Amino acid sequence: TRQALCAAAVRAAKAADYQGAGTIEFIADGSGALSADKIWFMEMNTRLQVEHPVTEEITGVDLVEWQLRVAAGEPLPKTQDELSINGWAMEVRLYAEDPSKGFLPSIGRLEDFWYSEATARIDTGVEEGAEISPFYDPMIAKLIVHRDSRAEAIVGLRETLAEGVCGPLITNAGFLWRLLGDDAFCAGQVDTGLIGRNLEALTARPEPSRAELARAASRLMGTPGEGPWASHLGLRLNAAPRREMRLADQFGRHWTVDLIDEPAEDFWPAGAQTTIDEGGERFILHPWRAAGSHEGVASTGAILAPMPGRVIAVEVAAGQSVSKGQKLLTLEAMKMEHSLVAPFDGVVAELNAEAGAQVQVEALLARIEEG
């Protein structure tokens, strides 16, 4: 099947007398075993693709260099029979986006950004301190691994995602990590409906493990130091000692955590925070206080602009009754349209948006009251 597809691609390029980098795309009937008679030509792109590093890794050629040489009038450095495929390469696109909110782009400053070049090839155009703006595609990097087999490539990518750090922006790193661990994906049972069938599990915002929460709590608590009270941490009058701490993350969730005997060297300052990087996800933890807790603006009925953009459609009017999930308005930003919906059944108590208006991030566009 591979031989037939490659031969068809070569014939198409020859028929058009095409010289340069290009990609022939086919579409396959995946209902059974792949075969050449169940695959059809779809289109040709006369350029490199985002996935060109995969080809470079398994063939050992620099396609960008080849593209430039051909553009300068030079012949291709190798002929077809001099090319070979070695091993297996796999790539993921690391995006500043929130999978739990329909893959909504996340904008702001990239304060931490590191992935190991010892385990993967990292192709990126940004660095720590860069701004992810609303004006361009929010892709941060491409992570590519080259191993002897597909299974080893999957393991290598998961390790790279788990060990890397990227934040404080919300990214799709955790989603990618979970997708690479999906049983059907690992078995090669992949089709265009795979993500849709498992969307809830793949995009649900996970919780940090209890072990990591305990370490975070101990870092924030610090060491009790020396003195007569050092051995009485957690002391309660007329009750058994209790060494625990309440933590909250950047999403408003909170936990009560038992402290472990891994104290930090010093007390952390009041208001301090610490981070957990686990499974491709970053959690920003701080001590939780009931007075400062919140359930999130959605529960109050406030509909805020998730990013700067332009309102292209308003579907409701002030005073109108709406049902949970009903589209209220559409915001255009970062080359995509984003539907903002009612968080619960209620009435449009406030409407501050009109079609064509430019809005800033967190602008109050509408407010829904229950009833």
Side-chain angles (χ1 to χ4, degrees):
T1 300
R2 174 186 285 168
Q3 185 176 14
L5 294 185
C6 290
V10 171
R11 287 199 304 275
K14 286 183 175 179
D17 194 24
Y18 184 76
Q19 297 182 42
T23 308
I24 305 287
E25 295 191 17
F26 298 90
I27 188 165
D29 177 354
S31 60
L34 289 180
S35 61
D37 61 348
K38 294 172 61 179
I39 299 176
W40 297 269
F41 169 83
M42 186 168 68
E43 65 180 6
M44 177 176 182
N45 287 302
T46 54
R47 56 174 171 81
L48 294 177
Q49 297 283 78
V50 176
E51 295 82 10
H52 80 266
V54 169
T55 305
E56 292 185 333
E57 290 297 307
I58 61 175
T59 59
V61 302
D62 186 332
L63 292 177
V64 177
E65 177 188 343
W66 282 27
Q67 188 178 36
L68 295 172
R69 289 188 179 279
V70 171
E74 297 181 21
L76 288 171
K78 289 185 177 182
T79 61
Q80 192 71 33
D81 58 4
E82 292 178 297
L83 296 172
S84 62
I85 294 175
N86 302 293
W88 198 289
M90 190 174 289
E91 171 188 311
V92 296
R93 304 187 199 184
L94 180 67
Y95 266 77
E97 62 185 14
D98 188 349
S100 70
K101 294 184 177 180
F103 297 91
L104 195 69
S106 173
I107 63 174
R109 184 177 295 276
L110 191 64
E111 295 179 3
D112 299 309
F113 177 52
W114 178 88
Y115 287 90
S116 174
E117 295 185 353
T119 60
R121 167 179 165 176
I122 315 297
D123 283 13
T124 184
V126 301
E127 57 187 12
E128 287 187 354
E131 287 285 340
I132 305 299
S133 81
F135 306 112
Y136 301 100
D137 186 282
M139 183 164 67
I140 298 172
K142 294 181 286 186
L143 314 181
I144 311 102
V145 300
H146 182 205
R147 301 290 191 271
D148 290 336
S149 68
R150 183 177 185 273
E152 291 173 321
I154 291 173
V155 170
L157 265 181
R158 294 195 90 205
E159 288 178 349
T160 301
L161 287 164
E163 295 171 1
V165 294
C166 189
L169 301 178
I170 299 174
T171 74
N172 67 337
F175 164 81
L176 296 171
W177 185 84
R178 292 188 290 276
L179 178 59
L180 288 163
D182 179 82
D183 290 341
F185 181 86
C186 291
Q189 298 169 353
V190 179
D191 58 60
T192 54
L194 174 66
I195 292 174
R197 289 192 299 271
N198 301 281
L199 190 62
E200 185 174 349
L202 292 173
T203 61
R205 184 169 284 138
E207 293 192 359
S209 67
R210 299 300 296 187
E212 288 299 322
L213 283 171
R215 293 189 182 95
S218 293
R219 287 197 297 271
L220 289 171
M221 176 63 73
T223 178
E226 302 295 334
W229 298 104
S231 60
H232 296 287
L233 183 64
L235 176 67
R236 296 188 299 163
L237 293 176
N238 303 315
R242 184 173 63 194
R243 300 179 66 237
E244 62 183 25
M245 186 178 191
R246 301 197 74 177
L247 296 179
D249 70 359
Q250 71 268 42
F251 307 114
R253 303 176 299 180
H254 47 86
W255 303 268
T256 299
V257 182
D258 292 330
L259 296 175
I260 59 176
D261 294 324
E262 292 185 16
E265 293 182 359
D266 300 293
F267 280 106
W268 288 46
Q273 62 184 31
T274 186
T275 59
I276 292 174
D277 291 289
E278 186 177 48
E281 301 281 358
R282 164 159 285 199
F283 307 96
I284 303 174
L285 283 301
H286 58 84
W288 181 82
R289 296 174 180 83
S293 67
H294 63 279
E295 295 297 330
V297 292
S299 65
T300 68
I303 309 300
L304 306 183
M307 67 188 65
R310 183 172 67 94
V311 178
I312 61 173
V314 178
E315 310 286 346
V316 296
Q320 178 179 334
S321 295
V322 295
S323 56
K324 181 179 179 180
Q326 181 178 338
K327 183 189 292 187
L328 305 176
L329 53 93
T330 304
L331 186 69
E332 183 181 62
M334 300 188 84
K335 304 194 300 182
M336 293 187 290
E337 294 183 2
H338 309 283
S339 296
L340 303 182
V341 302
F344 43 72
D345 295 346
V347 176
V348 180
E350 188 175 349
L351 184 63
N352 302 316
E354 60 181 24
Q358 291 285 339
V359 297
Q360 295 301 312
V361 63
E362 296 191 351
L364 178 63
L365 304 179
R367 183 170 57 81
I368 310 300
E369 285 186 353
E370 287 186 289

